[in-house]
Amino acid sequence: MVVVKQSPRVVVIGGGAGGLAAAVDCARRGASVLLLERGPEVGGKVRQERVGGQSIDAGPTVLTMRWVFEALFADADAALAEHVRLHPLPVLARHAWQDGERLDLYADREATAAAIDRFASAADASGYLAFCRHTEAIYQKVHGPFIRTAQPTLASLVGSLGLRGLPGALGLDFHRTMWKALGDFFQDPRLRQLFGRYATYYGSSPFEAPATLNLIAHVEQAGVWAPAGGCRR
Ligand SMILES: Cc1cc2nc3c(=O)[nH]c(=O)nc-3n(C[C@H](O)[C@H](O)[C@H](O)COP(=O)(O)OP(=O)(O)OC[C@H]3O[C@@H](n4cnc5c(N)ncnc54)[C@H](O)[C@@H]3O)c2cc1C
């Protein structure tokens, strides 16, 4: 009997960033991939509008977690840098309030702390630095067993903490809301509001999302990159 080994066939539905990444990953593992996109072009929310003769990103504008994209390309025997030029941004985000107040967050933590000192108070500046340490610690705990794991569960996450067990799990801050946790670090309501907005990155509310997700502040603080020519490029 002759056994003909066929490559697995995969259908990916949707050509947004997620579908494109999944298609690349399946293809480089030897699958025969068919990607179906109902729109006129791939990209999904990654799209541009023409405004005043210029193309501007209308969805995502910047990348974080650059290593994810580098690994995706490297696994497929390609180099991200050969396809797109990424510029690290010294200003991570710019915030404005109706009364004309402005606050920028910088890639440099100390520069942000100094800006918060001027904008709010010295207590809030040191609260910010404590918040950075807190969110980095959460990130370090979930990086391996959750973020880099294909099918993570809460049980496997707690198991990964080993002997630290329950105290370690409480350090993940899942037992209270983002909003509640932010109150421990910031006295100025505008800062609580500002850092609470990270919940909106995944369509949630800081009043309901678990405080674990304050780790997004750390992800952004770890680096924001702008692709030359925009995200569409
Ligand atoms: C205003 C805005 C700003 C953002 N800013 C950033 C940012 O700066 N940085 C960042 O990293 N992220 C940002 N995001 C989030 C980021 O855009 C999304 O997380 C990401 O683009 C989602 O990709 P996706 O593939 O999961 O979904 P989508 O981009 O929504 O793609 C889904 C695709 O599936 C197709 N589809 C759906 N149903 C079918 C079907 N039945 N058959 C065929 N095709 C189908 C759709 O047409 C679409 O093309 C932003 C989002 C928004 C809205």
Side-chain angles (χ1 to χ4, degrees), residues 123-124 127-128 130-132 134-135 138 173 176-200 202 205-218:
D124 278 317
Y128 167 74
F131 180 65
C132 287
H134 173 72
T135 54
I138 295 175
D173 229 3
R176 56 181 180 165
T177 65
M178 282 176 82
W179 191 251
K180 178 93 178 48
L182 287 168
D184 280 0
F185 297 97
F186 301 108
Q187 296 169 4
D188 190 310
R190 295 169 302 175
L191 294 171
R192 211 169 169 189
Q193 176 194 36
L194 184 160
F195 288 101
R197 81 182 171 83
Y198 288 115
T200 66
Y202 45 92
S205 155
F207 307 116
E208 294 180 32
T212 310
L213 291 161
N214 278 320
L215 67 81
I216 295 172
H218 169 70

Side-chain angles (χ1 to χ4, degrees), residues 112-134:
T112 301
I116 289 177
D117 191 344
R118 291 189 297 273
F119 176 78
S121 66
D124 278 317
S126 50
Y128 167 74
L129 293 172
F131 180 65
C132 287
R133 290 190 293 274
H134 173 72

Side-chain angles (χ1 to χ4, degrees), residues 13-19 36-39 43-46 58-62:
I13 300 175
L36 301 175
E37 168 54 53
R38 71 178 169 191
K45 292 187 183 71
V46 184
T61 48
V62 291

Side-chain angles (χ1 to χ4, degrees), residues 84-172:
V84 62
R85 274 184 296 126
L86 294 176
H87 302 295
L89 296 181
V91 176
L92 304 178
R94 174 157 291 166
H95 305 84
W97 284 261
Q98 277 175 329
D99 59 6
E101 294 281 1
R102 299 276 186 277
L103 178 66
D104 288 352
L105 301 186
Y106 300 95
D108 177 349
R109 279 185 198 189
E110 296 299 332
T112 301
I116 289 177
D117 191 344
R118 291 189 297 273
F119 176 78
S121 66
D124 278 317
S126 50
Y128 167 74
L129 293 172
F131 180 65
C132 287
R133 290 190 293 274
H134 173 72
T135 54
E136 184 171 4
I138 295 175
Y139 181 86
Q140 296 303 345
K141 282 187 183 135
V142 300
H143 178 76
F146 201 86
I147 292 177
R148 298 204 75 147
T149 299
Q151 292 180 316
T153 63
L154 187 58
S156 66
L157 179 58
V158 173
S160 74
L161 297 171
L163 293 176
R164 282 177 291 152
L166 190 60
L170 288 177
L172 297 174

Side-chain angles (χ1 to χ4, degrees), residues 61-75:
T61 48
V62 291
L63 300 182
T64 54
M65 300 177 93
R66 176 183 177 157
W67 57 269
V68 171
F69 300 92
E70 285 174 337
L72 179 72
F73 275 65
D75 287 347

Side-chain angles (χ1 to χ4, degrees), residues 7 25 30 40 50 74 78-80 83 86 106 110 120 127 131 135 144 166 169 184 189 219-220 225:
S7 58
D25 229 6
R50 294 286 292 175
L80 178 65
H83 294 270
L86 294 176
Y106 300 95
E110 296 299 332
F131 180 65
T135 54
L166 190 60
D184 280 0
V219 166
E220 201 165 271
W225 284 269

